[in-house]
Amino acid sequence: MQTRIKAVLDRVDTDARYQYGLLALLTVLAAAVRFYKLGEWSFWGDEVITVGRASQVFDLGLSRYSVSRILAYFAFDWFGISESTARLVPALIGIITIPAIYFPVRRIFSSSVALLTGGFLAISPWHLYWSQNARFYTALLLFYTLGLFAFYLGIEEDRPWYLVLFLVLFGLAIQERKIALFLALTIAGYLVLVKVLPFGNPPGLNLRNMLILLVPSFAGGLGVSWIYLRDPSRWLATFGWINNSPFWILSGIAYYVGIPILCMGFAGALFLLLRRDRAGLLMSLAVLIPLVSVLALSLVQYTANRYVFVSLISWIVLAGVAVREVFLGIQGNGRILVLGVVLILVLHPLGEDVLYFRYQHGNRDNWKAAYAFIEDRKAPGDLIITANRAVGNFYLDDPLIGMDSLSQEDLDGNQNRIWFVEDMTAEDKWPWVHRWVNRHAILVANFDNHVQARNFKMRVYLYDPGAVLTSPP
């Protein structure tokens, strides 16, 4: 049995036609999953922000330019604005990521690890989710991860042009989102640890390459952070409030990455570290530094588990290494254990994908259904008050009132019928509005979307001054 499995792995690692055939199948699988129901889910708040910025990207200045926004601008120009066209670019980038990461992973590890990585990523629920969001995260992940691999190959093979490529990719990632700075921390940690731990010095660890890395990185980092260094209040205004606990962040990451991938990734990291493998050290830091940084930052400022999305491919690569070593080390009736490992790693994400498509409405708020409900029932003169006016303006032609602009006097004594659309943030942000609605209005529609321990609350209330209140006070 062991001989046959080794022969299969040898074929995967040596037969180019076999490799490219499997890679093509994985890419088709990724495309099928990412295009399925692409335009069915409702926009949510951040997507509407992205649509607005991408629509006027060339009017916002160079600091706002990014690959994903520019491509989205042309998608809107050619096809118009809709849920599907807004998500077209993230989906395409998500699909392209499968073959794009195959080649550097094959070069650093092996073809079998590269194919395992592509397979796990193709069905990853977290990657699927961001591939079907009008956001920048798939582009960020692609540039971030390719930059990580370019750095490793440049420093490991003493190839300066790979380090230049790293700087370009790092810059593209920074333009997508500043959380790409985790990559700089990862590389800094790697350069320190290879000097102090018994991993040996990479061939490219010399003064020339350090200057290539450090001089542009320092200048670029100063340029990116100068606006906040000059005026720290800008950072505090956006991120200076605590919204999550470390436990909530960690549990969310475990859910989105997937417990099986996390466990196998941890095992793969430990295996490579014990072998004093420098690629394993870099991949281990690539998963550890964003995770620890976000957990620590959650104690003092705004954070979200999506900030750790940049480490997803690194987790999957480490899991792929672990799976390959399990296959290589199998003996006798161990085939049953191999089957169990494969089933867990494949069926768990597939099960989450089924829930995502069939029961969890794409794991997001169902604003579209709430506004469609109101559209079918509203009368002339009705007011519509919402927790997110930007999303409402996309789905309704009527003028909407945001809860953030309300006062008590606006509601007390009002003789118009009023529709209220309340999401999961409304009660915490505007508690007095929530109390007023519960006392004076009737719940007429519930579009709550339950995703594991999280409820994407979406409820429609109607205040009718001429009706008798029948719901409990």
Side-chain angles (χ1 to χ4, degrees), residues 4 83 143-144 183 209 225 271 280 296 304-305 381 390 471:
R4 289 199 298 271
E83 291 93 342
F143 296 138
Y144 185 101
L183 182 55
N209 290 338
S225 59
F271 173 82
N305 51 49
S471 61

Side-chain angles (χ1 to χ4, degrees), residues 186-426:
T186 299
I187 288 172
Y190 174 81
L191 293 173
V192 170
L193 290 179
V194 292
K195 293 295 291 183
V196 302
L197 296 179
F199 282 82
N201 287 338
L205 191 58
N206 53 53
L207 179 60
R208 177 198 62 194
N209 290 338
M210 290 303 98
L211 290 175
I212 291 174
L213 286 173
L214 295 178
V215 173
S217 297
F218 178 79
L222 186 62
V224 167
S225 59
W226 179 249
I227 186 175
Y228 300 112
L229 293 174
R230 187 179 58 183
D231 183 10
S233 64
R234 293 176 66 98
W235 182 274
L236 295 175
T238 305
F239 300 103
W241 54 286
I242 299 173
N243 65 316
N244 282 313
S245 69
F247 174 78
W248 180 257
I249 293 290
L250 185 61
S251 61
I253 293 166
Y255 168 70
Y256 287 117
V257 176
I259 295 294
I261 290 292
L262 284 176
C263 292
M264 292 301 291
F266 175 79
L270 186 60
F271 173 82
L272 291 172
L273 290 174
L274 291 174
R275 286 176 48 180
R276 298 179 182 176
D277 185 287
R278 287 192 293 268
L281 174 63
L282 183 61
M283 290 295 102
S284 299
L285 291 172
V287 301
L288 183 64
I289 286 179
L291 174 62
V292 173
S293 298
V294 172
L295 292 179
L297 288 171
S298 69
L299 298 171
V300 296
Q301 69 159 64
Y302 178 91
T303 52
N305 51 49
R306 60 181 176 269
Y307 296 168
V308 186
F309 182 68
V310 293
S311 66
L312 177 63
I313 293 177
S314 299
W315 276 112
I316 292 176
V317 168
L318 290 170
V321 170
V323 171
R324 183 177 190 275
E325 294 303 323
V326 169
F327 272 78
L328 288 175
I330 199 67
Q331 293 181 358
N333 291 330
R335 75 187 82 171
I336 299 174
L337 301 179
V338 176
L339 178 62
V341 170
V342 172
L343 287 176
I344 290 172
L345 289 169
V346 173
L347 293 183
H348 179 269
L350 285 178
E352 293 297 331
D353 291 346
V354 170
L355 292 175
Y356 171 89
F357 284 119
R358 293 290 301 275
Y359 303 105
Q360 294 173 180
H361 187 73
N363 293 0
R364 67 198 78 193
D365 308 289
N366 199 350
W367 291 100
K368 184 193 294 189
Y371 289 121
F373 180 88
I374 295 173
E375 180 69 30
D376 289 341
R377 293 163 177 80
K378 64 183 175 64
D382 286 1
L383 302 178
I384 304 172
I385 295 175
T386 177
N388 194 311
R389 188 167 54 180
V391 178
N393 287 336
F394 181 84
Y395 287 113
L396 290 176
D397 294 329
D398 303 78
L400 284 82
I401 302 169
M403 290 184 181
D404 57 342
S405 62
L406 281 178
S407 67
Q408 187 80 35
E409 292 75 20
D410 292 329
L411 297 180
D412 290 340
N414 195 301
Q415 295 305 304
N416 298 88
R417 291 205 318 170
I418 307 175
W419 299 89
F420 291 89
V421 185
E422 187 178 76
D423 69 352
M424 64 180 177
T425 69

